[in-house]
Amino acid sequence: MTQDELKALVGQAALQYVQPGSVVGVGTGSTVNKFIDALATVKDTIRGAVSSSVASTARLQAHGIPVFDAAEVTSIPVYIDGADEIDAAGNMVKGGGAALTREKIVADLAERFICIADESKLVDVMGRFPLPVEVIPMAAAQVARRFQAAYGGDATLRQGVVTDNGNHILDVRGLQITDPLAMETEVNQWPGVVTVGIFARHKARVCLLGTASGVRTITY
């Protein structure tokens, strides 16, 4: 199957985690777009969704799915989103679509994170995919220098990208993320960092992995 077909497969499989009458947390990206399209087929069974990006909100509303502001919701059963990388413990790198901060906010509302991805995203050690970091613009150069000093990482500004929150994205290359929780905790303390794209505090509880032989379910 093509990568696009694998994304559609896991998007459809994620429907089994959608609880009738609930508000569903919905992430961002091409795989999630397939999930949103699948969710539209059962939209009459749910109350609506909480979205992590302007783009996903627009797609949900185009399907006639009500979208709630995160401030209107105290908790949700599941948050369904993709990943740029996921390791054997369910830790993830996310933010290739520049929505990492809002994704963490919605993930924090959720009882469980369900990751949907194709098998190319499963890695032994994260870091091959550049680590996205959302930063306040005036701190970008300072944070880049700190990544070099602390981790030997090469941080570059993602050109032409402004997040939904009005901030910039640094992409950090050359990392080996052997202790995701420690790195997430450390980097999030640096002045000017809005959030780092390591999801270890809000790691996946289930990963639906699209493979050539079908959907592989990994539970953490």
Side-chain angles (χ1 to χ4, degrees):
M1 285 185 284
T2 66
Q3 193 173 44
D4 203 49
E5 289 170 333
L6 292 176
K7 290 176 180 180
L9 201 64
V10 294
Q12 184 69 35
L15 289 181
Q16 67 186 293
Y17 296 93
V18 174
Q19 298 183 16
S22 70
V23 175
V24 183
V26 176
T28 307
S30 56
T31 306
V32 172
N33 284 343
K34 298 296 186 182
F35 168 66
I36 292 172
D37 295 344
L39 188 64
T41 66
V42 298
K43 64 182 180 182
D44 293 337
T45 69
I46 61 171
R47 286 178 55 207
V50 174
S51 163
S52 67
S53 72
V54 171
S56 288
T57 294
R59 195 178 189 97
L60 287 159
Q61 290 175 333
H63 279 301
I65 299 171
V67 178
F68 295 91
D69 188 275
E72 301 177 81
V73 181
T74 55
S75 68
I76 53 178
V78 294
Y79 175 55
I80 296 170
D81 201 359
D84 298 307
E85 290 184 322
I86 184 166
D87 69 14
N91 302 300
M92 296 167 288
V93 164
K94 293 174 50 54
L100 58 159
T101 299
R102 294 191 182 197
E103 288 170 348
K104 278 196 178 178
I105 291 168
V106 182
D108 193 54
L109 285 170
E111 295 171 21
R112 284 202 300 172
F113 191 125
I114 311 298
C115 177
I116 53 177
D118 65 80
E119 61 184 341
S120 69
K121 305 300 194 301
L122 184 62
V123 298
D124 293 326
V125 178
M126 299 186 299
R128 183 178 59 192
F129 188 91
L131 175 65
V133 187
E134 182 166 347
V135 294
I136 292 170
M138 72 173 288
Q142 182 178 346
V143 172
R145 289 191 297 268
R146 194 153 184 176
F147 263 107
Q148 180 62 51
Y151 298 109
D154 179 23
T156 57
L157 191 67
R158 193 180 300 180
Q159 295 297 321
V161 173
V162 176
T163 71
D164 289 344
N165 310 309
N167 297 312
H168 291 170
I169 296 287
L170 290 174
D171 290 310
V172 190
R173 295 169 173 82
L175 298 175
Q176 289 279 303
I177 306 175
T178 54
D179 190 339
L181 182 59
M183 187 181 284
E184 179 183 17
T185 302
E186 167 66 20
V187 174
N188 275 342
Q189 304 307 309
W190 295 354
V193 170
V194 180
T195 199
V196 61
I198 299 173
F199 282 60
R201 288 190 62 248
H202 298 98
K203 69 178 187 176
R205 297 302 172 188
V206 175
C207 180
L208 301 176
L209 209 62
T211 75
S213 57
V215 177
R216 176 185 169 197
T217 303
I218 307 171
T219 304
Y220 304 101

